[in-house]
Amino acid sequence: MKSVLVVFLGGGLGSVIRYGTSYLVMNYTNRIWIGTFLVNVLGSILFIISHRINYELSTEQNYLIRIGFLGGLTTFSSLSFQTLQLIKSGRLIEGVGSLVLNILFGIVIGVWIVR
């Protein structure tokens, strides 16, 4: 039960930060996909950091950071929805560009982890 609570708390914090980032970026750029991109890249970078210091983290800390916080921060569902919305609104290049950037940066950061 403690693990569930730790994941819940981390996920809530990550989700609030994701929402805040998207809200701020949308207000300044009118491009919500940029906020999604930023949190996904940030989440990938933070995952690298947590992976590299993994031996120092307890099980609860891993649940809090990786499963909870980073799971709440990063988002595939928003990426998918925003890509479809951009394409449906006639902004094909922006939609495909957003999708490619998110996936490309995720893969590049993933490769960085295992090197």
Side-chain angles (χ1 to χ4, degrees):
M1 186 61 167
K2 182 179 177 184
S3 298
V4 172
L5 181 59
V6 169
V7 170
F8 174 76
L9 293 173
L13 181 60
S15 295
V16 168
I17 291 174
R18 174 172 32 106
Y19 170 78
T21 301
S22 293
Y23 179 81
L24 289 172
V25 169
M26 182 64 177
N27 283 336
Y28 286 105
T29 67
N30 203 27
R31 301 275 193 268
I32 196 166
W33 69 266
I34 295 173
T36 300
F37 172 71
L38 290 175
V39 297
N40 285 340
V41 169
L42 176 63
S44 295
I45 291 168
L46 291 174
F47 192 89
I48 289 168
I49 293 168
S50 75
H51 177 75
R52 297 216 172 171
I53 63 170
N54 184 41
Y55 66 92
E56 298 175 12
L57 299 178
S58 68
T59 301
E60 286 79 18
Q61 289 169 328
N62 269 322
Y63 287 167
L64 176 73
I65 295 168
R66 286 185 175 167
I67 297 171
F69 179 74
L70 295 177
L73 178 68
T74 60
T75 174
F76 187 77
S77 57
S78 291
L79 170 63
S80 301
F81 178 75
Q82 291 164 3
T83 300
L84 290 174
Q85 291 301 104
L86 287 167
I87 292 169
K88 284 172 67 175
S89 69
R91 293 157 56 189
L92 177 67
I93 293 173
E94 192 172 354
V96 171
S98 167
L99 182 65
V100 168
L101 281 173
N102 274 274
I103 293 171
L104 180 65
F105 272 81
I107 290 171
V108 167
I109 291 168
V111 168
W112 187 31
I113 290 174
V114 297
R115 69 178 173 106

